Amino acid sequence: PATDQPAVDSSDKVLNDLIDVILSNLAEDRSEVRQMATALAYNLVLACTQDFVPSGPWKAAAESSDMNAHALQLLCGCLEGLSNEKDRTVRIRRLTIACRICRTYSTTVGSLLNDLGFSDSLQILKADADITPPVTTEEKVLLGELLHYCQL
């Protein structure tokens, strides 16, 4: 039977499914699966943020002051449990994705990071010398940038 649903709904469904795949694979035990998930997430974020402005499927929400729901899901998924990540490649990709999203939504993301408690966990990760693998200089720079957004 014919459906009255507009084509936009099918693209939203595809994005919802893609986000679900990414987030579920971030929790996988095998590091190569988590690496694939973060590569996919980063490419999605690149496609949806041009010059740190929401674009493509994230552009519609940009007309309001709200953060796109997919961007929010990816941001939270990348920051959740970050200090427990044992694969350096996955951890740096998660930080890079979070920074890209924060740069795009810089005016609204700070209070969100604080309200969700990510500010504290980012500070702990940056300062904890016992994290395995050790936090690299590059990761500390990304953590510093994320903490900067928490202060806005």
Side-chain angles (χ1 to χ4, degrees), residues 20-134:
D20 288 346
V21 166
I22 290 168
L23 294 177
S24 66
N25 283 306
L26 282 177
E28 282 292 319
D29 290 335
R30 293 178 29 203
S31 62
E32 60 270 17
V33 175
R34 294 191 315 279
Q35 287 177 11
M36 180 272 315
T38 54
L40 184 58
Y42 186 69
N43 286 327
L44 176 63
V45 170
L46 282 178
C48 294
T49 58
Q50 298 294 318
D51 299 320
F52 308 114
V53 174
S55 63
W58 291 4
K59 190 173 186 172
E63 291 156 9
S64 72
S65 62
D66 296 334
M67 179 183 276
N68 178 277
H70 296 129
L72 179 58
Q73 285 179 294
L74 283 175
L75 178 64
C76 291
C78 285
L79 294 178
E80 189 74 31
L82 188 61
S83 60
N84 298 325
E85 180 56 61
K86 300 301 179 202
D87 185 276
R88 180 172 285 144
T89 301
V90 174
R91 191 171 63 201
I92 199 159
R93 285 180 183 169
R94 288 170 68 170
L95 285 167
T96 304
I97 293 162
C99 280
R100 181 84 184 194
I101 293 169
C102 287
R103 290 173 191 147
T104 302
Y105 294 99
S106 60
T107 58
T108 58
V109 76
S111 60
L112 177 71
L113 291 173
N114 287 317
D115 292 347
L116 295 175
F118 289 124
S119 176
D120 294 338
S121 63
L122 292 170
Q123 288 175 348
I124 291 168
L125 180 60
K126 188 174 181 187
D128 192 347
D130 296 328
I131 296 287
T132 306

